[in-house]
Structures are given as structure tokens and as C-alpha cells.
Amino acid sequence: MLCPWRTANLGLLLILTVFLVTANTSWPILMGKNAVLCCPPIALKYLIIITWEIILRDQPFCKKAYKKETNETKETNCTDERITWVSRPDQNPALQIRPVAITHDGYYRCIMGAPDGNFHRGYHLQVLVTPEVTLFQSRNGTAVCKAAAGKPAAQISWIPEGDCVTEQEYGGNGTVTVKSTCHWEGHDVSTVTCHVSHLTGNKSLDIELPPG
Ligand SMILES: *[C@@H]1O[C@H](CO)[C@@H](O)[C@H](O)[C@H]1NC(C)=O
Ligand SMILES: *[C@@H]1O[C@H](CO)[C@@H](O)[C@H](O)[C@H]1NC(C)=O
Ligand SMILES: *[C@@H]1O[C@H](CO)[C@@H](O)[C@H](O)[C@H]1NC(C)=O
Ligand SMILES: *[C@@H]1O[C@H](CO)[C@@H](O)[C@H](O)[C@H]1NC(C)=O
Ligand SMILES: *[C@@H]1O[C@H](CO)[C@@H](O)[C@H](O)[C@H]1NC(C)=O
Ligand SMILES: *[C@@H]1O[C@H](CO)[C@@H](O)[C@H](O)[C@H]1NC(C)=O
């Protein structure tokens, strides 16, 4: 992914001041992918300092800064080696995460310091994990559909609708296992479908129930 910063000139800078000063973007991203987080599109020649602030749950507040005058980078409290500058910050100030892990949920902000003020761009990163879906029969006429270790929690629905009990179990790492147990007593039902809907994609599974 390319960041649009190279194309900006001073005229654009003035326009951008109006709407980019404190923009936040919400970004859902699949675990295991690589992410590139762009700074505001401002040409580097107008800048004094570029700072990335990274706020992750259960981790100290991490800062990466590049000072143009001294052409030096400095890091404070940054321990995750998967989060780095894309290249030398004097060439490209974007941040990359390679690969995105479940612990990378958080807030990332690029601050570009220019003589006439700061420009910000923030990202609320939401890491998505695809649940593992299974459908099986437990007791006679009872079907169990499970969407294991998904993030966020999956939604389970059935065709046809049955008498269901749905439970959620939190994994501690941010994932949730959803289990729906159903029966169709008194209905003439032979095949049932479990539909799992999730931000990473939907899935449907069928199972045949014993007659009676
Ligand atoms: C962007 O998000 C940060 C962190 O949640 C928040 O402190 C800040 O006020 C937000 N800015 C805007 C313009 O919404
Ligand atoms: C480094 O992390 C500690 C602990 O979270 C925090 O108190 C401190 O302010 C951080 N330092 C900087 C420069 O952000
Ligand atoms: C900044 O430092 C890098 C080495 O870290 C060097 O390759 C580059 O030429 C320097 N840039 C400027 C503008 O001095
Ligand atoms: C299911 O029901 C049949 C007949 O009603 C019975 O013979 C069988 O043992 C039952 N199986 C289970 C696992 O409960
Ligand atoms: C999250 O924890 C659950 C069990 O609590 C585990 O099965 C799952 O693999 C973990 N997922 C990640 C991405 O660490
Ligand atoms: C997934 O399922 C939900 C609810 O059933 C639906 O609103 C959504 O459009 C589906 N998404 C896709 C990509 O099919």
C-alpha cells in the first residue's frame, strides 16, 4: 500500500489543515495480515518532527520519533519488533505491522510537526480473528453449532428456528467462543442449517437429524 504524502504541496497543505487536523479512522484488520498506517499527506520538506504514538492494551505507551534537523530516530517504550517504520522516515514516515497479531488492538497516531502547527492522523485498529465453526449432534435430535475463538464474537442463527440455548465463553486473549445448542421437538425437521455470521465472513453448515 502506498501513502499519498508524496503528492502534497503547500496549497494542498492549507486545504488539508481544514479536515485532516484530528482525523481518526477505525480499521478492522484480519490477524496475520500486514498493515501500513499512513501519516497525513504532507510533504516532508515542511516538517520538523514526525512522531508515532502507539497505545496498546496492557503495554506501556510507545513513541517513535524522527527529527529532521538531526536526521535521527528515537524510540521510547517500544518493545514489539513487528511494529516498525516502513523505511527510513526521511523517505516515508508510514508505520508498518508485520504481521498483525491479536495483541495489536489499539490506537495508533501519527503526528507531523510543521512550523505552523501539528497534523494528526489516528487509527483505531481492531484485530479480527476468524472463528472455527463446527456443527455436530449431541443427544437425539439436539444439534450443537460452535464458533470457536473468534474476534469479535460471531452470531449464530438456525434454519429452521429451534429451541436454542446460546452460551459465550471468553478466551482471555480477546477471542470469544459462541455455542448454540438447539432442539426441534414436535416439529417435523430432518435437516437443519447453522448460519454463522462474522466480520471476517459468513459460513453455513448443514446436519441431518434422526427421524422422530
Ligand atoms: C481520536 O481517538 C483518540 C483516542 O481514542 C481520542 O483521544 C481523540 O479525541 C480522537 N479524536 C477525534 C477527533 O475524534
Ligand atoms: C514508558 O512507559 C511507562 C510505563 O507505562 C510510562 O509511565 C512512561 O510515561 C512511558 N514513557 C514515555 C516517554 O512515554
Ligand atoms: C539520514 O540518515 C541516513 C542513515 O541513517 C542516511 O542514509 C540519509 O542520507 C540521511 N538523510 C539526510 C537527509 O541526511
Ligand atoms: C436415540 O433414541 C433412540 C430411540 O429413541 C435410542 O435407541 C438411542 O439410544 C438414542 N441415542 C442416544 C445417543 O440417546
Ligand atoms: C485465544 O485463546 C483461545 C483459548 O482461550 C485459543 O484457543 C486461541 O487459539 C487463542 N487465539 C489466539 C489468536 O491467540
Ligand atoms: C453475513 O450475515 C449477516 C447476517 O446474517 C448479513 O447481514 C451479512 O450481509 C452477511 N455478510 C455477507 C458478506 O454475506
Side-chain angles (χ1 to χ4, degrees), residues 108-119:
Y108 300 73
R109 184 163 73 150
C110 177
I111 305 161
M112 299 187 99
D116 50 354
N118 287 350
F119 299 84

Side-chain angles (χ1 to χ4, degrees), residues 30-199:
L30 202 58
M31 187 180 75
K33 295 270 189 209
N34 296 332
V36 172
L37 283 62
C38 298
C39 285
I42 291 158
L44 290 169
K45 61 180 166 183
Y46 305 118
L47 294 170
I48 299 164
I49 187 162
I50 303 160
T51 308
W52 275 100
E53 294 180 348
I54 302 163
I55 302 168
L56 305 178
R57 199 161 17 97
D58 307 327
Q59 277 172 56
F61 175 46
C62 144
K63 251 186 195 174
K64 292 176 191 286
Y66 171 76
K67 237 188 214 152
K68 198 171 136 195
E69 193 185 3
T70 54
N71 190 27
E72 272 174 355
T73 55
K74 197 177 146 194
E75 300 204 345
T76 324
N77 281 346
C78 304
T79 51
D80 195 320
E81 285 171 3
R82 293 165 294 196
I83 305 175
T84 60
W85 297 98
V86 162
S87 74
R88 280 187 3 227
D90 59 317
Q91 292 182 336
N92 184 352
L95 193 75
Q96 66 179 358
I97 311 176
R98 289 172 75 92
V100 172
I102 199 162
T103 50
H104 290 145
D105 254 350
Y107 184 60
Y108 300 73
R109 184 163 73 150
C110 177
I111 305 161
M112 299 187 99
D116 50 354
N118 287 350
F119 299 84
H120 300 240
R121 186 146 166 198
Y123 299 86
H124 290 281
L125 217 69
Q126 183 197 14
V127 181
L128 308 177
V129 182
T130 309
E132 189 166 329
V133 179
T134 49
L135 173 60
F136 55 94
Q137 230 186 101
S138 69
R139 284 173 288 118
N140 269 348
T142 301
V144 180
C145 187
K146 207 168 165 182
K151 186 173 175 299
Q155 307 279 328
I156 297 180
S157 56
W158 293 87
I159 302 167
E161 278 181 38
D163 297 320
C164 305
V165 178
T166 302
E167 298 158 273
Q168 294 200 343
E169 193 186 308
Y170 292 83
N173 51 13
T175 65
V176 184
T177 294
V178 182
K179 187 172 114 177
S180 180
T181 306
C182 299
H183 62 95
W184 290 263
E185 238 154 84
H187 298 87
D188 188 19
V189 169
S190 58
T191 302
V192 295
T193 302
C194 162
H195 180 77
V196 175
S197 85
H198 194 257
L199 284 180

